[in-house]
């Protein structure tokens, strides 16, 4: 039997660790529902993150802090009903992993009710006891360092992290602590490229960057950002691969015009008697 990976083989923790060893870049995208999930499933994307960014992207909050565990279970379940090939990680929302018991109970719900393959937690050394407990329970864990959006108020805004030498040392120590606690992957958000490249070289487990340069082992973007849903959101790290804001806006205008001119529905879109 051949062990060569094909597009239809499910991506596992082992696949992702092997990709790092082989020097193959890992692609990850956020996804929050089954409509986008079907498209991701048909693509060659390696990992899906049901991010708590759904608070900003779908629910209209101005941060991820109001997102609840119930929100995350609801959206994770919608994604995992259709996404079978990529590895699906779900974010543990704000204050749902403040101690080991909470982390275990809430991660179990994301896995059992949401169907997640693993969970992502924000933070470094301070959350390693929770990470170790989850890993001991058989739950794959992704760490998240640098700009950690659940701490936006403590960080005084969405800004580049680890610019100072002391912060860079802290970041590296946190990354190693997460790896030692059993995290199989670490997201690095908004940190200088050279720092992310150094961390990536030092770790055995893959790093996935967002605003962290090409030296990471993989890259993640928020689905709606890369598709250009919000014309006014243009951070430096974002590359827009489509302009859906314009495509959707133009489509709605055309529909509105057709309805008002009584051009829709035409006979071809109507039923005969
Ligand atoms: O919630 C999210 O979408 C994330 C990514 C930005 C990594 O955490």
């Amino acid at each position: 039997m051949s062990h060569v990976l094909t597009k239809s083989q499910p991506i596992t923790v082992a696949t992702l660790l092997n990709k790092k060893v082989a020097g193959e870049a890992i692609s990850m995208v956020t996804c929050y529902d089954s409509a986008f999930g079907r498209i991701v499933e048909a693509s060659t994307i390696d990992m899906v993150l049901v991010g708590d960014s759904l608070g900003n992207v779908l629910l209209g909050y101005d941060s991820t802090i109001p997102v609840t565990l119930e929100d995350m279970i609801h959206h994770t379940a919608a994604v995992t009903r259709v996404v079978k090939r990529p590895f699906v990680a779900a974010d543990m929302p704000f204050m749902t992993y403040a101690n080991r018991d909470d982390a275990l109970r809430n991660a179990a719900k994301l896995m059992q009710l949401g169907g997640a393959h693993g969970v992502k937690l924000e933070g470094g050394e301070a959350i390693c006891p929770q990470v170790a407990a989850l890993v001991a329970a058989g739950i794959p864990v992704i760490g998240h360092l640098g700009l950690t959006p659940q701490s936006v108020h403590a960080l005084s805004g969405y800004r580049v992290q680890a610019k100072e030498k002391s912060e860079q040392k802290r970041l590296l120590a946190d990354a190693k602590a997460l790896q030692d606690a059993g995290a199989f992957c670490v997201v690095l958000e908004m940190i200088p490229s050279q720092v992310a490249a150094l961390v990536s070289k030092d770790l055995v487990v893959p790093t996935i960057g967002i605003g962290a340069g090409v030296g990471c082992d993989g890259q993640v973007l928020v689905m709606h950002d890369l598709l250009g849903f919000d014309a006014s959101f243009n951070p430096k790290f974002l590359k827009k691969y489509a302009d859906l804001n314009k495509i959707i806006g133009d489509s709605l205008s055309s529909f509105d015009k057709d309805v008002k001119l009584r051009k829709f529905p035409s006979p071809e879109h109507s039923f005969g008697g």
Side-chain angles (χ1 to χ4, degrees):
M1 196 171 105
S2 164
H3 291 282
V4 175
L5 268 184
T6 64
K7 189 181 140 186
S8 59
Q9 276 180 303
I11 305 282
T12 63
V13 169
T15 320
L16 297 165
L17 294 171
N18 286 338
K19 273 181 176 283
K20 169 136 185 168
V21 174
E24 290 171 22
I26 297 167
S27 56
M28 186 196 225
V29 70
T30 68
C31 185
Y32 317 113
D33 62 31
S34 62
F36 281 101
R38 283 193 187 90
I39 301 173
V40 178
E41 175 68 10
S43 76
T44 51
I45 294 282
D46 299 310
M47 298 177 82
V48 165
L49 174 66
V50 187
D52 59 356
S53 52
L54 64 82
N56 308 69
V57 177
L58 299 188
L59 305 180
Y61 298 135
D62 61 7
S63 79
T64 57
I65 293 170
V67 175
T68 64
L69 188 70
E70 287 66 35
D71 292 331
M72 291 306 303
I73 293 169
H74 181 71
H75 287 277
T76 304
V79 169
T80 58
R81 274 179 211 122
V82 299
V83 175
K84 307 293 174 193
R85 182 194 50 79
F87 185 93
V88 181
D91 261 333
M92 297 200 69
F94 181 65
M95 287 303 282
T96 59
Y97 51 96
N99 56 55
R100 270 185 280 213
D101 287 349
D102 282 359
L104 283 168
R105 190 179 53 255
N106 294 326
K109 287 186 184 161
L110 286 167
M111 307 276 287
Q112 289 189 304
L113 306 176
H117 304 152
V119 296
K120 177 165 79 61
L121 284 67
E122 295 182 7
E125 240 170 63
I127 60 150
C128 281
Q130 291 91 311
V131 172
L134 293 170
V135 172
I139 299 175
V141 173
I142 300 177
H144 186 157
L145 295 172
L147 174 67
T148 44
Q150 291 171 15
S151 307
V152 61
H153 299 306
L155 297 174
S156 302
Y158 299 100
R159 53 177 79 212
V160 178
Q161 301 296 307
K163 284 175 154 178
E164 305 297 329
K165 273 267 166 297
S166 60
E167 296 168 327
Q168 294 168 5
K169 267 180 83 180
R170 175 80 262 150
L171 183 86
L172 187 57
D174 280 336
K176 284 196 169 148
L178 286 168
Q179 173 175 276
D180 291 347
F184 78 94
C185 182
V186 179
V187 167
L188 299 175
E189 181 162 356
M190 280 183 77
I191 60 174
S193 304
Q194 322 83 272
V195 179
L198 265 178
V199 173
S200 306
K201 259 184 131 172
D202 260 43
L203 294 190
V204 176
V205 298
T207 59
I208 308 287
I210 174 163
V214 76
C216 295
D217 301 302
Q219 300 293 329
V220 58
L221 282 177
V222 167
M223 171 84 83
H224 293 60
D225 294 348
L226 82 89
L227 295 178
F229 261 75
D230 182 351
S232 68
F233 186 62
N234 294 296
K236 183 174 166 67
F237 66 80
L238 175 62
K239 177 172 175 183
K240 292 187 180 178
Y241 288 84
D243 187 358
L244 287 202
N245 186 284
K246 179 163 168 40
I247 292 172
I248 295 170
D250 289 352
S251 306
L252 294 177
S253 297
S254 300
F255 170 64
D256 180 58
K257 213 159 116 196
D258 278 1
V259 168
K260 288 169 182 168
L261 292 172
R262 299 203 181 278
K263 282 169 80 178
F264 177 85
S266 62
E268 84 180 285
H269 295 113
S270 306
F271 300 105

